[in-house]
Amino acid sequence: MTYDDTTGSLASLDGTDSAVLGRLAEVWARVDPVPADLVDRIGFSLTLDALHTEVAELRRVASAPAGVRADETSIEAETITFTTDVLTVMITVHAEGDVVRLDGWVTPAGRLSVELHQAGTVTSTDSDDEGRFVLEDLVRGPSRLVMRRAEEPGVPVVTPMVEL
Amino acid sequence: MSDDQAGPVASETAHRDRSLADQAADAVVALRDGDREPLAALVAELTPLLWHTVRAQGVAAHEAQDVVQGVWIALLREAGSIRDPMATLQWMLVTARRSAWRAVQRRRSDLTHTSSDERAMELVVTPTEDAPDATVLREERDRVLWDHVQTLPERCRALLRLVAMVDRPDYAVVSQSLGMPVGSIGPTRGRCLAKLRAALAADPAWGAR
């Protein structure tokens, strides 16, 4: 192996180097902290993913504030679009006090089963013929949608975790 | 390491009994046997390093979360095809860098398509590394250190950022994942650290305690 060089250079790393590196780690952790819930979200994703090994991963296309501004009323709305080769889903999230309402629209339009997975709970519905669905009275927190198409029920389409 | 000058060690940088490379190897071997416990522990240990790897590439914070999540999901799916479990950490860091690079490219092309969007303008003018606000780095020495780090070449900044996150046994893997061959990492890291130390030594604000 070629680790000799590494070992050699490590020997030259003195206490001051270690102190500087240690302080650097702290500074970076403070300037750009890892989001507090990221580790939990990942654990949750991996648990979910283990249940379905063949999931299509969606990617977040755009996330922009939409609708009424939060400082004007208590209603906040955010629209997020996810897309894969097989389908695109646009969701609008309305916060109504402590609970959240989610309006979704899937294209190509059609009926599919929709589940919203949150820590420990699953809320289900079906989209209508136009691909629209609504999930109400949701709690806030990390969430992801799992959608199953009638033609391929064994291959669910899963969104990345998003914060409702 | 119990170096007094290092001050309190942040939880993200807690020193480990075993290298990340070893822990990642164990997690993959266990995963193949259907045991997911070591993977769960690895997620907590390794996510900070992946986060900084992705952020150092200039990926926006909300997107960086998706990218880091994606690296773990990729590991879960590819665990069976990683031939040498000891290469797992390297594989994950390289995957993180590539995904980060793709995320940055996508963002650039999205921006050119939606340049009329107000938000797009906002993204264009937002620097990838925001200056921390004064309350984040309260201590004078931290601000001095930060300012000097900003004057280093980008390659040095990225290297020191990641090397600071790990212990010695993982230095080589971290450096390789940045495209710096094993043979040259010692000197490269040495040069980057030496530059920083020289700058600090010449700054009276750092010397004063």
Side-chain angles (χ1 to χ4, degrees):
Chain A
M1 297 294 282
T2 43
Y3 287 99
D4 287 356
D5 190 13
T6 315
T7 317
S9 66
L10 290 180
S12 66
L13 194 74
D14 64 19
T16 308
D17 288 327
S18 303
V20 169
L21 285 175
R23 192 144 194 145
L24 264 182
E26 280 180 62
V27 166
W28 252 303
R30 241 173 289 156
V31 170
D32 188 11
V34 179
D37 60 350
L38 184 59
V39 166
D40 286 344
R41 280 179 185 220
I42 290 166
F44 178 39
S45 298
L46 295 182
T47 307
L48 190 74
D49 195 74
L51 304 174
H52 326 280
T53 50
E54 287 295 326
V55 287
E57 201 53 40
L58 294 173
R59 84 178 169 87
R60 192 196 294 253
V61 168
S63 164
V68 191
R69 281 174 48 186
D71 56 0
E72 286 171 345
T73 79
S74 62
I75 302 168
E76 300 164 37
E78 187 190 22
T79 298
I80 306 172
T81 303
F82 300 101
T83 184
T84 62
D85 291 345
V86 294
L87 62 80
T88 293
V89 58
M90 188 173 88
I91 61 169
T92 304
V93 181
H94 300 269
E96 297 168 342
D98 290 342
V99 297
V100 175
R101 172 191 158 108
L102 188 156
D103 289 278
W105 184 23
V106 179
T107 49
R111 282 181 180 273
L112 29 80
S113 95
V114 179
E115 297 162 12
L116 186 81
H117 289 238
Q118 296 179 300
T121 62
V122 178
T123 313
S124 307
T125 189
D126 293 309
S127 64
D128 65 17
D129 291 334
E130 294 182 334
R132 293 179 189 276
F133 62 90
V134 179
L135 293 162
E136 288 180 293
D137 294 330
L138 304 168
V139 294
R140 288 172 172 274
S143 312
R144 80 195 304 175
L145 282 171
V146 177
M147 289 158 288
R148 292 169 211 278
R149 294 160 292 151
E151 63 273 25
E152 269 190 282
V155 186
V157 175
V158 179
T159 69
M161 197 77 78
V162 293
E163 190 70 30
L164 288 189
Chain B
M1 269 168 283
S2 60
D3 203 306
D4 291 336
Q5 297 172 75
V9 174
S11 58
E12 286 188 14
T13 59
H15 294 286
R16 307 170 174 93
D17 295 336
R18 305 185 56 237
S19 73
L20 284 173
D22 285 341
Q23 291 182 53
D26 289 354
V28 161
V29 171
L31 204 54
R32 290 175 184 174
D33 292 340
D35 174 10
R36 302 168 62 88
E37 283 299 313
L39 180 72
L42 185 68
V43 170
E45 284 279 308
L46 184 53
T47 292
L49 180 61
L50 294 174
W51 171 260
H52 287 282
T53 299
V54 170
R55 292 281 288 152
Q57 300 273 304
V59 179
H62 71 276
E63 209 168 357
Q65 302 197 37
D66 293 347
V67 171
V68 172
Q69 233 180 100
V71 174
W72 287 105
I73 289 175
L75 175 68
L76 198 62
R77 299 196 187 145
E78 303 294 325
S81 61
I82 294 175
R83 240 173 297 162
D84 175 9
M86 276 310 291
T88 303
L89 179 60
Q90 168 91 6
W91 182 89
M92 291 183 77
L93 292 173
V94 169
T95 302
R97 267 193 92 210
R98 283 189 190 143
S99 312
W101 186 83
R102 280 197 298 269
V104 169
Q105 298 304 308
R106 268 206 310 268
R107 173 129 315 233
R108 286 192 187 137
S109 74
D110 282 357
L111 284 181
T112 58
H113 292 127
T114 58
S115 53
S116 60
D117 195 308
E118 259 179 53
R119 191 177 163 81
M121 275 315 293
E122 188 185 302
L123 292 164
V124 167
V125 298
T126 305
T128 52
E129 220 161 3
D130 289 333
D133 83 60
T135 57
V136 175
L137 299 179
R138 272 185 298 260
E139 279 188 54
E140 171 73 8
R141 277 171 77 81
D142 287 342
R143 279 197 299 274
V144 170
L145 179 58
W146 180 257
D147 289 345
H148 284 297
V149 166
Q150 297 314 302
T151 67
L152 295 173
E154 196 186 337
R155 205 170 154 79
C156 274
R157 280 208 307 275
L159 180 68
L160 292 181
R161 178 177 189 166
L162 301 187
V163 161
M165 301 295 305
V166 300
D167 292 337
R168 294 182 186 204
D170 291 315
Y171 285 169
V173 177
V174 166
S175 306
Q176 274 177 309
S177 76
L178 286 172
M180 300 180 189
V182 171
S184 73
I185 65 130
T188 306
R189 190 189 58 247
R191 273 200 301 278
C192 293
L193 258 180
K195 262 184 206 163
L196 181 59
R197 279 183 62 174
L200 290 171
D203 188 335
W206 173 259
R209 301 213 62 173

mmCIF file of all heavy atoms in Angstrom, chain B residues 141-161:
data_model
loop_
_atom_site.group_PDB
_atom_site.id
_atom_site.type_symbol
_atom_site.label_atom_id
_atom_site.label_comp_id
_atom_site.label_asym_id
_atom_site.label_seq_id
_atom_site.Cartn_x
_atom_site.Cartn_y
_atom_site.Cartn_z
ATOM 1 N N ARG B 141 -11.050 35.091 18.281
ATOM 2 C CA ARG B 141 -10.135 34.132 17.655
ATOM 3 C C ARG B 141 -10.823 33.342 16.541
ATOM 4 O O ARG B 141 -10.202 33.015 15.541
ATOM 5 C CB ARG B 141 -9.560 33.173 18.698
ATOM 6 C CG ARG B 141 -8.368 33.749 19.449
ATOM 7 C CD ARG B 141 -7.976 32.860 20.606
ATOM 8 N NE ARG B 141 -7.228 31.665 20.218
ATOM 9 C CZ ARG B 141 -5.923 31.668 19.968
ATOM 10 N NH1 ARG B 141 -5.228 32.773 20.029
ATOM 11 N NH2 ARG B 141 -5.312 30.554 19.636
ATOM 12 N N ASP B 142 -12.074 33.029 16.729
ATOM 13 C CA ASP B 142 -12.804 32.292 15.686
ATOM 14 C C ASP B 142 -12.967 33.151 14.434
ATOM 15 O O ASP B 142 -12.844 32.671 13.315
ATOM 16 C CB ASP B 142 -14.175 31.844 16.198
ATOM 17 C CG ASP B 142 -14.052 30.698 17.199
ATOM 18 O OD1 ASP B 142 -12.985 30.060 17.221
ATOM 19 O OD2 ASP B 142 -15.013 30.456 17.941
ATOM 20 N N ARG B 143 -13.246 34.426 14.660
ATOM 21 C CA ARG B 143 -13.408 35.326 13.501
ATOM 22 C C ARG B 143 -12.091 35.495 12.762
ATOM 23 O O ARG B 143 -12.044 35.488 11.539
ATOM 24 C CB ARG B 143 -13.940 36.690 13.948
ATOM 25 C CG ARG B 143 -15.443 36.717 14.159
ATOM 26 C CD ARG B 143 -15.973 38.137 14.177
ATOM 27 N NE ARG B 143 -15.384 38.918 15.268
ATOM 28 C CZ ARG B 143 -15.879 38.924 16.510
ATOM 29 N NH1 ARG B 143 -16.936 38.216 16.812
ATOM 30 N NH2 ARG B 143 -15.292 39.649 17.442
ATOM 31 N N VAL B 144 -11.012 35.624 13.542
ATOM 32 C CA VAL B 144 -9.685 35.770 12.936
ATOM 33 C C VAL B 144 -9.359 34.523 12.107
ATOM 34 O O VAL B 144 -8.936 34.612 10.952
ATOM 35 C CB VAL B 144 -8.613 35.981 14.040
ATOM 36 C CG1 VAL B 144 -7.204 35.882 13.457
ATOM 37 C CG2 VAL B 144 -8.827 37.333 14.720
ATOM 38 N N LEU B 145 -9.618 33.362 12.696
ATOM 39 C CA LEU B 145 -9.345 32.101 11.999
ATOM 40 C C LEU B 145 -10.163 32.025 10.712
ATOM 41 O O LEU B 145 -9.644 31.713 9.641
ATOM 42 C CB LEU B 145 -9.695 30.925 12.929
ATOM 43 C CG LEU B 145 -9.509 29.516 12.362
ATOM 44 C CD1 LEU B 145 -8.078 29.276 11.924
ATOM 45 C CD2 LEU B 145 -9.928 28.462 13.402
ATOM 46 N N TRP B 146 -11.446 32.348 10.811
ATOM 47 C CA TRP B 146 -12.342 32.302 9.651
ATOM 48 C C TRP B 146 -11.841 33.218 8.543
ATOM 49 O O TRP B 146 -11.794 32.834 7.371
ATOM 50 C CB TRP B 146 -13.768 32.682 10.077
ATOM 51 C CG TRP B 146 -14.747 32.666 8.949
ATOM 52 C CD1 TRP B 146 -15.255 33.739 8.290
ATOM 53 C CD2 TRP B 146 -15.304 31.514 8.323
ATOM 54 N NE1 TRP B 146 -16.107 33.337 7.294
ATOM 55 C CE2 TRP B 146 -16.160 31.979 7.287
ATOM 56 C CE3 TRP B 146 -15.173 30.141 8.533
ATOM 57 C CZ2 TRP B 146 -16.870 31.102 6.478
ATOM 58 C CZ3 TRP B 146 -15.887 29.277 7.720
ATOM 59 C CH2 TRP B 146 -16.726 29.756 6.705
ATOM 60 N N ASP B 147 -11.464 34.443 8.915
ATOM 61 C CA ASP B 147 -10.988 35.405 7.914
ATOM 62 C C ASP B 147 -9.749 34.886 7.189
ATOM 63 O O ASP B 147 -9.625 35.027 5.978
ATOM 64 C CB ASP B 147 -10.671 36.757 8.576
ATOM 65 C CG ASP B 147 -11.948 37.479 9.014
ATOM 66 O OD1 ASP B 147 -13.037 37.075 8.542
ATOM 67 O OD2 ASP B 147 -11.861 38.415 9.824
ATOM 68 N N HIS B 148 -8.843 34.279 7.937
ATOM 69 C CA HIS B 148 -7.631 33.767 7.285
ATOM 70 C C HIS B 148 -7.936 32.568 6.391
ATOM 71 O O HIS B 148 -7.341 32.420 5.327
ATOM 72 C CB HIS B 148 -6.567 33.413 8.328
ATOM 73 C CG HIS B 148 -5.881 34.626 8.884
ATOM 74 N ND1 HIS B 148 -5.122 35.472 8.089
ATOM 75 C CD2 HIS B 148 -5.864 35.158 10.122
ATOM 76 C CE1 HIS B 148 -4.663 36.465 8.838
ATOM 77 N NE2 HIS B 148 -5.096 36.310 10.077
ATOM 78 N N VAL B 149 -8.860 31.735 6.818
ATOM 79 C CA VAL B 149 -9.242 30.579 6.001
ATOM 80 C C VAL B 149 -9.799 31.061 4.655
ATOM 81 O O VAL B 149 -9.529 30.472 3.612
ATOM 82 C CB VAL B 149 -10.281 29.703 6.747
ATOM 83 C CG1 VAL B 149 -10.938 28.713 5.791
ATOM 84 C CG2 VAL B 149 -9.612 28.965 7.894
ATOM 85 N N GLN B 150 -10.552 32.161 4.687
ATOM 86 C CA GLN B 150 -11.151 32.680 3.452
ATOM 87 C C GLN B 150 -10.101 33.145 2.444
ATOM 88 O O GLN B 150 -10.391 33.243 1.261
ATOM 89 C CB GLN B 150 -12.117 33.839 3.747
ATOM 90 C CG GLN B 150 -13.315 33.436 4.595
ATOM 91 C CD GLN B 150 -13.963 32.149 4.123
ATOM 92 O OE1 GLN B 150 -14.394 32.040 2.981
ATOM 93 N NE2 GLN B 150 -14.008 31.141 4.990
ATOM 94 N N THR B 151 -8.905 33.439 2.914
ATOM 95 C CA THR B 151 -7.864 33.903 1.989
ATOM 96 C C THR B 151 -7.111 32.736 1.346
ATOM 97 O O THR B 151 -6.309 32.947 0.448
ATOM 98 C CB THR B 151 -6.842 34.819 2.703
ATOM 99 O OG1 THR B 151 -6.121 34.020 3.648
ATOM 100 C CG2 THR B 151 -7.529 35.966 3.428
ATOM 101 N N LEU B 152 -7.362 31.507 1.808
ATOM 102 C CA LEU B 152 -6.664 30.344 1.225
ATOM 103 C C LEU B 152 -7.259 30.003 -0.132
ATOM 104 O O LEU B 152 -8.419 30.311 -0.403
ATOM 105 C CB LEU B 152 -6.816 29.133 2.148
ATOM 106 C CG LEU B 152 -6.171 29.194 3.534
ATOM 107 C CD1 LEU B 152 -6.579 27.966 4.340
ATOM 108 C CD2 LEU B 152 -4.659 29.275 3.423
ATOM 109 N N PRO B 153 -6.477 29.330 -0.990
ATOM 110 C CA PRO B 153 -7.048 28.851 -2.256
ATOM 111 C C PRO B 153 -8.218 27.896 -1.967
ATOM 112 O O PRO B 153 -8.234 27.237 -0.933
ATOM 113 C CB PRO B 153 -5.898 28.085 -2.902
ATOM 114 C CG PRO B 153 -4.670 28.505 -2.183
ATOM 115 C CD PRO B 153 -5.076 28.970 -0.826
ATOM 116 N N GLU B 154 -9.171 27.845 -2.900
ATOM 117 C CA GLU B 154 -10.379 27.051 -2.698
ATOM 118 C C GLU B 154 -10.076 25.586 -2.357
ATOM 119 O O GLU B 154 -10.714 24.974 -1.510
ATOM 120 C CB GLU B 154 -11.241 27.125 -3.962
ATOM 121 C CG GLU B 154 -12.659 26.662 -3.699
ATOM 122 C CD GLU B 154 -13.485 26.579 -4.967
ATOM 123 O OE1 GLU B 154 -13.136 27.266 -5.947
ATOM 124 O OE2 GLU B 154 -14.470 25.820 -4.965
ATOM 125 N N ARG B 155 -9.068 25.045 -3.060
ATOM 126 C CA ARG B 155 -8.686 23.651 -2.843
ATOM 127 C C ARG B 155 -8.253 23.422 -1.393
ATOM 128 O O ARG B 155 -8.591 22.419 -0.777
ATOM 129 C CB ARG B 155 -7.530 23.365 -3.797
ATOM 130 C CG ARG B 155 -7.319 21.950 -4.194
ATOM 131 C CD ARG B 155 -6.286 21.966 -5.322
ATOM 132 N NE ARG B 155 -5.554 20.712 -5.395
ATOM 133 C CZ ARG B 155 -6.046 19.619 -5.964
ATOM 134 N NH1 ARG B 155 -7.244 19.638 -6.485
ATOM 135 N NH2 ARG B 155 -5.327 18.515 -6.007
ATOM 136 N N CYS B 156 -7.493 24.359 -0.883
ATOM 137 C CA CYS B 156 -7.031 24.267 0.510
ATOM 138 C C CYS B 156 -8.204 24.363 1.474
ATOM 139 O O CYS B 156 -8.281 23.634 2.455
ATOM 140 C CB CYS B 156 -6.051 25.396 0.837
ATOM 141 S SG CYS B 156 -4.340 25.021 0.409
ATOM 142 N N ARG B 157 -9.105 25.281 1.187
ATOM 143 C CA ARG B 157 -10.271 25.447 2.068
ATOM 144 C C ARG B 157 -11.072 24.156 2.155
ATOM 145 O O ARG B 157 -11.450 23.716 3.228
ATOM 146 C CB ARG B 157 -11.192 26.556 1.545
ATOM 147 C CG ARG B 157 -10.746 27.950 1.862
ATOM 148 C CD ARG B 157 -11.936 28.898 1.962
ATOM 149 N NE ARG B 157 -12.814 28.877 0.798
ATOM 150 C CZ ARG B 157 -12.598 29.611 -0.301
ATOM 151 N NH1 ARG B 157 -11.545 30.414 -0.366
ATOM 152 N NH2 ARG B 157 -13.410 29.546 -1.315
ATOM 153 N N ALA B 158 -11.321 23.560 0.971
ATOM 154 C CA ALA B 158 -12.112 22.332 0.937
ATOM 155 C C ALA B 158 -11.392 21.208 1.676
ATOM 156 O O ALA B 158 -12.000 20.460 2.451
ATOM 157 C CB ALA B 158 -12.385 21.924 -0.506
ATOM 158 N N LEU B 159 -10.083 21.110 1.446
ATOM 159 C CA LEU B 159 -9.306 20.033 2.077
ATOM 160 C C LEU B 159 -9.316 20.177 3.597
ATOM 161 O O LEU B 159 -9.609 19.228 4.326
ATOM 162 C CB LEU B 159 -7.870 20.044 1.546
ATOM 163 C CG LEU B 159 -6.947 18.967 2.127
ATOM 164 C CD1 LEU B 159 -7.400 17.590 1.660
ATOM 165 C CD2 LEU B 159 -5.498 19.201 1.722
ATOM 166 N N LEU B 160 -9.019 21.379 4.082
ATOM 167 C CA LEU B 160 -8.955 21.583 5.535
ATOM 168 C C LEU B 160 -10.335 21.419 6.176
ATOM 169 O O LEU B 160 -10.466 20.911 7.272
ATOM 170 C CB LEU B 160 -8.374 22.965 5.863
ATOM 171 C CG LEU B 160 -6.892 23.144 5.516
ATOM 172 C CD1 LEU B 160 -6.409 24.531 5.914
ATOM 173 C CD2 LEU B 160 -6.017 22.080 6.184
ATOM 174 N N ARG B 161 -11.363 21.852 5.457
ATOM 175 C CA ARG B 161 -12.720 21.725 5.984
ATOM 176 C C ARG B 161 -13.060 20.268 6.270
ATOM 177 O O ARG B 161 -13.631 19.939 7.300
ATOM 178 C CB ARG B 161 -13.708 22.301 4.958
ATOM 179 C CG ARG B 161 -15.165 22.201 5.364
ATOM 180 C CD ARG B 161 -16.042 22.861 4.335
ATOM 181 N NE ARG B 161 -17.412 22.963 4.822
ATOM 182 C CZ ARG B 161 -18.342 23.727 4.250
ATOM 183 N NH1 ARG B 161 -18.044 24.453 3.198
ATOM 184 N NH2 ARG B 161 -19.556 23.779 4.734
#
